[in-house]
Amino acid sequence: MSTHTFTLNGEKVTVDVEDDVRLLWVLRDVLGVTGPKYGCGINVCKACTSHVNGKAFNPCATPIGTLEEGDEITTIEGLADGDTLHPMQQAWVDNDVAQCGYCQPGQIMAAVALVRRAEAEGFSIDDEALDEIRNICRCGTYNRIREAIKAGADNM
Ligand code: FES
Ligand code: FES
């Protein structure tokens, strides 16, 4: 076992696990943070999408030993501002996006990261930009996801 310290949703956490354990298991099984979902475990479905230092990543494919102490991990649990939903979450509610809901935390986290990157790099959230989101939704909510991202982006 080895000790790993990082920031999770604004709070410092320390866990004692082997370096090669992937972060998704640490989040879900050790820390009880279940927003990031397990789908494929091999960086394909994107159900586990969360943020590391503000950028989208997939914790199922990230060994905890690769994290540094200053790294900030944000999951869907850390997106809202207290009781106030993040604009992207509010857009999801307004557009009634979710069906079974399983893929949706990852979809929202991917959307927020894309909008932030668009702002930083100066591109707009058009259909071409939205094509970059590869998160799989088995319920087929893609059209509503796209509408929600455009609406959420306007309020971010
Ligand atoms: S569970 Fe992480 S990408 Fe599929
Ligand atoms: S809402 Fe069911 S998998 Fe996306």
Side-chain angles (χ1 to χ4, degrees):
M1 296 284 195
S2 43
T3 297
H4 306 272
T5 298
F6 56 97
T7 300
L8 174 62
N9 295 330
E11 294 197 3
K12 259 212 160 121
V13 294
T14 299
V15 291
D16 203 11
V17 290
E18 300 290 352
D19 284 357
D20 61 354
V21 174
R22 286 165 295 163
L23 184 60
L24 183 58
W25 316 134
V26 177
L27 293 174
R28 293 183 56 88
D29 298 344
V30 179
L31 295 168
V33 174
T34 56
K37 298 293 185 262
Y38 170 45
C40 64
I42 54 168
N43 205 12
V44 172
C45 73
K46 314 294 185 192
C48 65
T49 305
S50 302
H51 296 171
V52 58
N53 304 324
K55 295 191 172 142
F57 84 118
N58 291 102
C60 73
T62 305
I64 190 161
T66 63
L67 286 189
E68 309 209 342
E69 186 160 341
D71 282 342
E72 296 195 17
I73 305 297
T74 308
T75 67
I76 191 78
E77 286 89 345
L79 203 57
D81 180 11
D83 288 338
T84 306
L85 290 179
H86 185 280
M88 195 61 77
Q89 291 173 303
Q90 188 60 53
W92 242 250
V93 173
D94 294 343
N95 284 273
D96 200 14
V97 175
Q99 288 196 34
C100 82
Y102 197 82
C103 72
Q104 303 291 333
Q107 302 276 11
I108 292 172
M109 296 306 279
V112 171
L114 178 68
V115 173
R116 284 190 189 145
R117 201 156 58 75
E119 282 166 4
E121 296 176 16
F123 61 88
S124 53
I125 297 297
D126 54 15
D127 284 331
E128 189 184 335
L130 291 171
D131 283 345
E132 288 185 29
I133 293 184
R134 310 303 293 177
N135 296 48
I136 291 169
C137 175
R138 294 184 66 161
C139 299
T141 62
Y142 298 110
N143 288 343
R144 292 206 298 275
I145 285 171
R146 285 179 170 241
E147 291 309 309
I149 295 174
K150 287 175 186 165
D154 288 341
N155 293 322
M156 273 177 65

